[in-house]
Amino acid sequence: MGSEQPPERRTSDDHRGTGDPSDSRGESEASDADAPTEQGGPDAARASDVSVDDLFELLARPGNRYALAYLHRADGPVPFDDLVENVVDGAAPDDLSTGDFRDRVATRLVHSNLPKLDDAGLVEYDREAGLVRPTETTAVAVPYLELAMDQFSAE
């Protein structure tokens, strides 16, 4: 007959259940899902609603990487203008003035990057208050951000 659990819900952690092989998704595991996890750890990735494909698509944009790295280092919400300055400082091209690049970054963050990051649950973007907050899901991106930032600083 097989397991009553749908295959798409199986994880490598199914063996952690209650000890009863017929109950691989017991109450103790359900409470584990609600427990806090280490930032960037495998439990954080599993608890996230962002798919790996969506995460990599979002991280393909340098502005998203700089914004998420800055938010990860922040101890709470950051003003939108501070976020723009951080992205500009990290990724300013040689062929544009800083002012022109700042305007492009701000426009792209407002109309594209932040709404997409917010939809994915990686940030909370309050346009009216002008604040951007990291979320618990932001931690899912941390290992990839560290890798990307290490590679960028080595170049």
Side-chain angles (χ1 to χ4, degrees), residues 117-134:
L117 291 170
D118 192 317
D119 288 346
L122 291 166
V123 303
E124 287 181 15
Y125 175 44
D126 184 343
R127 188 172 181 170
E128 290 180 21
L131 293 174
V132 185
R133 293 174 181 82

Side-chain angles (χ1 to χ4, degrees), residues 3 7 9-10 17 19 40 46 53 93 97 100 103 132 152:
S3 172
R9 294 202 47 179
R10 289 185 181 204
R46 191 179 63 237
D53 289 340
S97 72
D100 288 343
D103 290 344
V132 185
F152 180 75

Side-chain angles (χ1 to χ4, degrees), residues 106-121:
T107 300
R108 181 158 291 176
L109 283 170
V110 166
H111 295 291
S112 180
N113 296 35
L114 290 176
K116 288 178 182 177
L117 291 170
D118 192 317
D119 288 346

Side-chain angles (χ1 to χ4, degrees), residues 80-155:
F80 174 76
D81 291 337
D82 290 356
L83 184 65
V84 170
E85 289 305 315
N86 183 269
V87 173
V88 169
D89 289 344
D94 295 333
D95 60 339
L96 285 176
S97 72
T98 303
D100 288 343
F101 185 59
R102 182 179 294 110
D103 290 344
R104 286 186 183 187
V105 166
T107 300
R108 181 158 291 176
L109 283 170
V110 166
H111 295 291
S112 180
N113 296 35
L114 290 176
K116 288 178 182 177
L117 291 170
D118 192 317
D119 288 346
L122 291 166
V123 303
E124 287 181 15
Y125 175 44
D126 184 343
R127 188 172 181 170
E128 290 180 21
L131 293 174
V132 185
R133 293 174 181 82
T135 66
E136 289 183 22
T137 305
T138 306
V140 171
V142 171
Y144 309 108
L145 293 171
E146 289 173 348
L147 177 66
M149 294 302 150
D150 286 348
Q151 184 178 12
F152 180 75
S153 64
E155 292 178 350

Side-chain angles (χ1 to χ4, degrees), residues 5 13 29 31 51 60 64-65 70 73 75 80 104 118 121 127 135-136 138 142 150 154:
Q5 179 179 343
D13 292 332
E29 188 169 338
S31 64
S51 74
N64 288 345
R65 292 192 303 268
Y70 182 65
R73 292 188 305 265
D75 287 333
F80 174 76
R104 286 186 183 187
D118 192 317
R127 188 172 181 170
T135 66
E136 289 183 22
T138 306
V142 171
D150 286 348

